[in-house]
């Protein structure tokens, strides 16, 4: 399970930086095939590759392993509902949340 989530997280970060698998693989000194297996959760990265990855993404280990948002749609909806329950009594937070959701809906 952790291999799959970490793989999705790496793929997400790579795409966010608009880097191809081939380019990232070169920076990590691994093959594109090896990176593909990591991103699909079939293989786990070595400690050496992990260190290089953190440098490429300019982040800490805890930031890389933060993949709560990569849950299933059902889990994400549950989390959103839970957050809404927590902030519904704070009118300022509700206004901010409304603006964010309104902007997202216009995409």
């Amino acid at each position: 399970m952790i291999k799959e989530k970490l793989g999705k997280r790496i793929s997400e970060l790579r795409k966010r930086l608009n880097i191809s698998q081939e380019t990232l693989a070169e920076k990590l000194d691994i093959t594109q095939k090896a990176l593909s297996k990591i991103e699909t959760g079939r293989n786990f990265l070595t400690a050496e590759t992990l260190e290089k990855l953190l440098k490429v993404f300019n982040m800490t280990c805890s930031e890389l392993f933060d993949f709560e948002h990569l849950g299933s749609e059902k889990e994400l909806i549950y989390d959103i509902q839970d957050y809404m329950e927590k902030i519904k009594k704070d009118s300022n937070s509700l206004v901010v949340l409304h603006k964010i959701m309104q902007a997202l809906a216009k995409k």
Side-chain angles (χ1 to χ4, degrees):
M1 178 99 164
I2 193 167
K3 288 192 307 185
E4 290 85 5
K5 286 187 176 183
L6 180 60
K8 283 183 182 179
R9 177 76 167 137
I10 292 168
S11 177
E12 171 196 39
L13 293 167
R14 175 180 60 75
K15 290 173 183 174
R16 189 180 298 167
L17 293 175
N18 201 25
I19 300 173
S20 68
Q21 274 190 341
E22 186 175 308
T23 301
L24 181 57
E26 287 175 11
K27 292 176 185 262
L28 301 177
D29 198 27
I30 61 175
T31 66
Q32 184 272 326
K33 186 175 181 178
L35 178 58
S36 176
K37 287 182 178 183
I38 291 168
E39 287 189 358
T40 57
R42 289 180 283 158
N43 282 359
F44 201 73
L45 50 137
T46 65
E48 182 181 333
T49 302
L50 174 61
E51 287 179 6
K52 291 176 183 176
L53 189 66
L54 294 173
K55 286 180 184 175
V56 169
F57 290 153
N58 190 29
M59 60 178 24
T60 65
C61 228
S62 60
E63 290 171 322
L64 178 63
F65 283 85
D66 177 14
F67 31 70
E68 283 183 25
H69 63 287
L70 296 176
S72 68
E73 280 187 28
K74 187 176 181 179
E75 291 171 323
L76 293 175
I77 290 170
Y78 175 80
D79 285 348
I80 290 168
Q81 290 170 336
D82 188 45
Y83 299 145
M84 288 175 61
E85 280 298 314
K86 290 178 181 175
I87 67 165
K88 72 180 184 181
K89 294 178 183 167
D90 178 359
S91 61
N92 290 331
S93 294
L94 284 174
V95 169
V96 171
L97 179 60
H98 180 267
K99 288 180 181 179
I100 291 169
M101 292 179 78
Q102 189 176 40
L104 288 173
K106 290 181 180 178
K107 280 189 171 183

